[in-house]
Amino acid sequence: MDKVILTGDRPTGRLHIGHYVGSLRSRVELQNKGDYDKFYIMIADVQALTDNWDNPEKVRQNIIEVALDYLSVGIDPSKVTIFIQSGVKGLYQLTCFYMDVVTLARLERNPTIKSELKMRNFGESIPVGFLTYPISQAADITGFDATVIPVGDDQLPMIEQTREIVRSINNIYGDTLYEPKAVLPENEACRRLPGTDGDAKMSKSLGNCIYLADDEETIKKKVMSMYTDPNHIRIEDPGKVEGNTVFTYLDAFVKEDSFEKYLPEFKNLDELKAKYQQGGLGDVKIKKFLFEVLNEELAPVREKRKYYEEHIDEVIAILKKGTEEASAHCDQVVDRLRRNMKINYFDNDDIASNYR
Ligand code: ATP
Ligand code: MG
């Protein structure tokens, strides 16, 4: 079995540091290790339209933004196929067939769908396309025979649902699809980075993000107004580290040499946390440190972005070539499924065999 990696993002906004630690950073590591047969990254515009159907222009604009984000964090189009979901027509066919093996009750039980529905306040008017996007996501994964899916933990229920669909299809039609495996970041803080407001998840839809493309001043402003411990009022007060977003971000971003470079009076994060808990360490100090750490990581990303912004035709060509490549692979999977379903009526004369 080939090792095929697939991940994707919804073009609903620019990518943020939650994406970076949850998925982008490990994509670049995987890419550089080279231990795979194929590596796909999908810009999920069809999925983005399920809750932005009335604002297609937003989705359209963000396709380029997301592509720029990929390239600026170091995704290398000579190693990875970047493509646009809507251009891969085989995916619509797979989605359609998979719909038959999933019940409405199962979709309504999907925990990610449940919380996303609540967040979006659809009330009684839930778009069918939104409710069924886990099925279309199963098509996205299986349509390229993907086996390894690096994601944040909000995606685990989606991968589980995909595995169920694969098992159903294989049971009915014989071995056709591969069961994918989710790969989460080892560092727990990275699996679901909270928003700058302390909300459980940094999310484009919640507006609590530090974007990869934010300039230095913007990052500084966002960091300085971040949620910490509301009871840590004076510097002398003992502070809480758990649920303190600044510390969660430090957990996700601090490197071995960060203290030596930007806060040499402490040796490591454990020492810094202990001091904060004991009292005598102000929020301004930890926020300034976090800003330095973040800025060091994001400055080269901004630089690279500038290059691609000035060479936008290169970006378009990358997307076009990637979408063609991805389509060719997906067509093979569709053919395989149609053959196993025996609905490839015109490939042979089987359909008329009773009459011959
Ligand atoms: P939207 O609000 O439109 O759903 P989003 O910010 O949740 O946007 P997605 O495009 O849905 O972003 O997610 C893309 C990938 O990034 C997924 O693998 C997801 O798990 C991961 N991801 C998104 N937000 C975070 C986060 N805060 N921490 C870790 N990983 C995240
Ligand atoms: Mg999301």
Side-chain angles (χ1 to χ4, degrees):
M1 185 172 71
D2 280 355
K3 180 169 175 184
V4 181
I5 305 172
L6 181 132
T7 59
D9 305 273
R10 294 151 41 92
T12 49
R14 289 177 164 185
L15 298 184
H16 52 65
I17 60 171
H19 297 115
Y20 184 71
V21 297
S23 181
L24 291 174
R25 193 161 59 179
S26 54
R27 293 181 207 179
V28 176
E29 279 164 21
L30 282 166
Q31 162 196 288
N32 293 340
K33 264 202 225 141
D35 169 29
Y36 56 85
D37 297 287
K38 270 312 278 160
F39 194 157
Y40 291 103
I41 298 185
M42 178 183 77
I43 303 181
D45 61 335
V46 178
Q47 191 184 119
L49 284 167
T50 63
D51 55 337
N52 291 279
W53 68 92
D54 51 353
N55 198 354
E57 195 48 35
K58 169 177 155 191
V59 175
R60 232 169 80 84
Q61 297 294 337
N62 281 307
I63 287 175
I64 294 295
E65 297 299 331
V66 169
L68 285 168
D69 286 326
Y70 290 160
L71 296 166
S72 56
V73 297
I75 298 292
D76 176 351
S78 72
K79 297 182 176 146
V80 173
T81 304
I82 306 175
F83 70 94
I84 302 177
Q85 184 186 22
S86 62
V88 181
K89 300 192 184 70
L91 293 176
Y92 308 121
Q93 293 196 55
L94 296 179
T95 304
C96 190
F97 295 131
Y98 297 172
M99 285 203 173
D100 298 332
V101 300
V102 180
T103 64
L104 183 58
R106 176 63 183 88
L107 285 169
E108 286 170 340
R109 270 202 318 272
N110 183 312
T112 302
I113 286 288
K114 262 190 185 163
S115 70
E116 289 184 344
L117 283 177
K118 211 183 277 165
M119 198 172 103
R120 283 165 176 77
N121 286 323
F122 286 133
E124 292 294 301
S125 311
I126 302 169
V128 172
F130 187 82
L131 188 65
T132 55
Y133 92 73
I135 303 178
S136 125
Q137 202 162 316
D140 303 334
I141 293 170
T142 55
F144 308 94
D145 298 315
T147 52
V148 177
I149 320 291
V151 281
D153 74 359
D154 62 309
Q155 291 302 305
L156 288 180
M158 300 299 171
I159 311 296
E160 194 40 49
Q161 184 137 30
T162 298
R163 291 163 63 87
E164 286 174 28
I165 291 173
V166 168
R167 288 197 285 266
S168 300
I169 294 283
N170 287 350
N171 274 336
I172 306 166
Y173 304 115
D175 279 350
T176 310
L177 307 172
Y178 296 97
E179 270 189 53
K181 220 173 55 203
V183 180
L184 292 177
E186 268 169 37
N187 181 341
E188 217 164 294
C190 299
R191 295 181 177 180
R192 185 178 302 217
L193 200 75
T196 49
D197 57 355
D199 189 280
K201 181 176 174 297
M202 179 175 287
S203 175
K204 292 178 231 120
S205 309
L206 294 173
N208 56 7
C209 308
I210 294 177
Y211 293 99
L212 297 175
D214 279 346
D215 61 33
E216 198 169 318
E217 261 324 289
T218 310
I219 297 176
K220 193 177 273 169
K221 245 191 246 147
K222 288 182 178 174
V223 169
M224 294 319 280
S225 60
M226 264 173 73
Y227 178 86
T228 55
D229 169 5
N231 297 319
H232 183 242
I233 296 161
R234 284 162 308 167
I235 294 184
E236 317 79 79
D237 293 339
K240 264 228 258 327
V241 165
E242 299 79 34
N244 184 324
T245 315
V246 173
F247 280 100
T248 312
Y249 287 16
L250 287 173
D251 277 327
F253 280 95
V254 152
K255 289 194 186 138
E256 238 167 64
D257 60 355
S258 303
F259 280 93
E260 198 184 315
K261 277 187 181 155
Y262 305 116
L263 199 60
E265 54 198 282
F266 293 93
K267 268 211 274 318
N268 54 39
L269 204 45
D270 287 341
E271 255 190 21
L272 188 75
K273 285 179 179 173
K275 180 71 186 167
Y276 192 80
Q277 284 166 324
Q278 181 197 334
L281 182 59
D283 280 356
V284 171
K285 193 158 189 166
I286 55 166
K287 285 179 171 175
K288 278 193 173 150
F289 176 53
L290 173 62
F291 163 72
E292 296 294 351
V293 170
L294 277 181
N295 198 43
E296 178 184 312
E297 189 108 4
L298 297 180
V301 175
R302 285 195 297 269
E303 270 312 298
K304 221 163 178 185
R305 195 176 220 277
K306 224 187 282 158
Y307 168 87
Y308 282 107
E309 281 174 352
E310 286 159 11
H311 296 80
I312 207 71
D313 289 341
E314 261 182 55
V315 181
I316 304 292
I318 289 166
L319 293 177
K320 184 160 184 277
K321 182 163 169 274
T323 305
E324 284 162 7
E325 260 177 52
S327 288
H329 191 153
C330 189
D331 284 346
Q332 288 174 15
V333 177
V334 170
D335 284 348
R336 198 161 73 220
L337 179 61
R338 292 177 65 100
R339 236 183 359 258
N340 291 355
M341 291 173 78
K342 295 195 170 29
I343 60 169
N344 55 332
Y345 307 118
F346 306 115
D347 288 352
N348 51 47
D349 229 5
D350 263 10
I351 194 173
S353 58
N354 286 348
Y355 294 90
R356 291 194 203 283

